[in-house]
Amino acid sequence: MKTWKTVTADMAETHALGRNIGEAAAGNTVILLDGDLGAGKTTLTQGIAMGLGVKKNVTSPTFTILKIYHGRLTLNHIDAYRLEGASQDLGFDELLEDDGVTVIEWPDFAGELIPDEYLKISIHLLENDSREFIFEACGKQYEALLEEIA
Ligand SMILES: Nc1ncnc2c1ncn2[C@@H]1O[C@H](COP(=O)(O)OP(=O)(O)OP(=O)(O)O)[C@@H](O)[C@H]1O
Ligand SMILES: [Mg+2]
């Protein structure tokens, strides 16, 4: 497992960080976003979408659980907050096997959906508007991705 840490000072910097991730991402990628309410998970996802060439504005999928966007690659944006672990029957596991990039907010509620290999990003609130992003790459594909981002 490889790790990396970075800090952003505001929303624009978080968008730029996400954009780097989106630009570096290949197909069949799973990114887990951990962090409290308002930490910046959806904001980072907006940047990832930009990096994937998605033109539509990414909004919080909380009430729909899943939103799909089309760019250079498909972005599957899942907010597992309301799943409370009940992910088995929704067929989301098939999504994770397609050639897109799947971003999962609240992975602790995603239960069996979480694959063995992934890039996990934990977001912490610092002073003012700063956010700390801790990256953990599990698996060779994700270590290579993190090399490109870091
Ligand atoms: N450095 C920063 N990075 C990201 N967001 C920031 C930053 N500074 C301020 N913000 C603000 O913090 C909020 C983050 O909200 P966001 O919806 O991205 O959080 P979230 O982690 O997805 O929350 P939820 O758990 O409700 O889905 C936004 O209003 C954003 O403008
Ligand atoms: Mg969110």
Side-chain angles (χ1 to χ4, degrees), residues 4 7 13 16 20 22 26 33 40 60 67 99-100 103 111 120 135 141:
W4 181 61
V7 172
E13 284 190 15
N20 283 343
L33 300 184
S60 179
K67 284 193 181 174
D99 202 37
V103 172
K120 180 174 179 177
F135 289 68
Q141 173 199 346

Side-chain angles (χ1 to χ4, degrees), residues 44-142:
L44 186 70
T45 307
Q46 288 167 346
I48 294 172
M50 291 174 208
L52 287 170
V54 171
K55 298 280 179 272
K56 253 182 116 177
N57 186 37
V58 168
T59 53
S60 179
T62 297
F63 296 100
T64 48
I65 302 176
L66 166 69
K67 284 193 181 174
I68 298 175
Y69 301 88
H70 300 286
R72 172 174 67 82
L73 297 168
T74 299
L75 170 64
N76 306 308
H77 185 198
I78 295 173
D79 189 319
Y81 192 71
R82 272 153 215 281
L83 282 179
E84 297 178 345
S87 61
Q88 300 90 323
D89 307 326
L90 295 170
F92 285 175
D93 39 351
E94 283 169 31
L95 273 184
L96 272 62
E97 283 156 23
D98 76 11
D99 202 37
V101 173
T102 301
V103 172
I104 305 179
E105 297 190 31
W106 296 101
D108 288 353
F109 292 114
E112 296 176 8
L113 207 55
I114 308 300
D116 293 341
E117 300 192 346
Y118 49 77
L119 177 65
K120 180 174 179 177
I121 307 172
S122 306
I123 311 174
H124 303 282
L125 282 111
L126 304 179
E127 281 152 23
N128 305 316
D129 280 343
S130 292
R131 304 287 196 274
E132 180 185 53
F133 296 81
I134 299 177
F135 289 68
E136 294 174 5
C138 293
K140 284 219 156 48
Q141 173 199 346
Y142 293 97

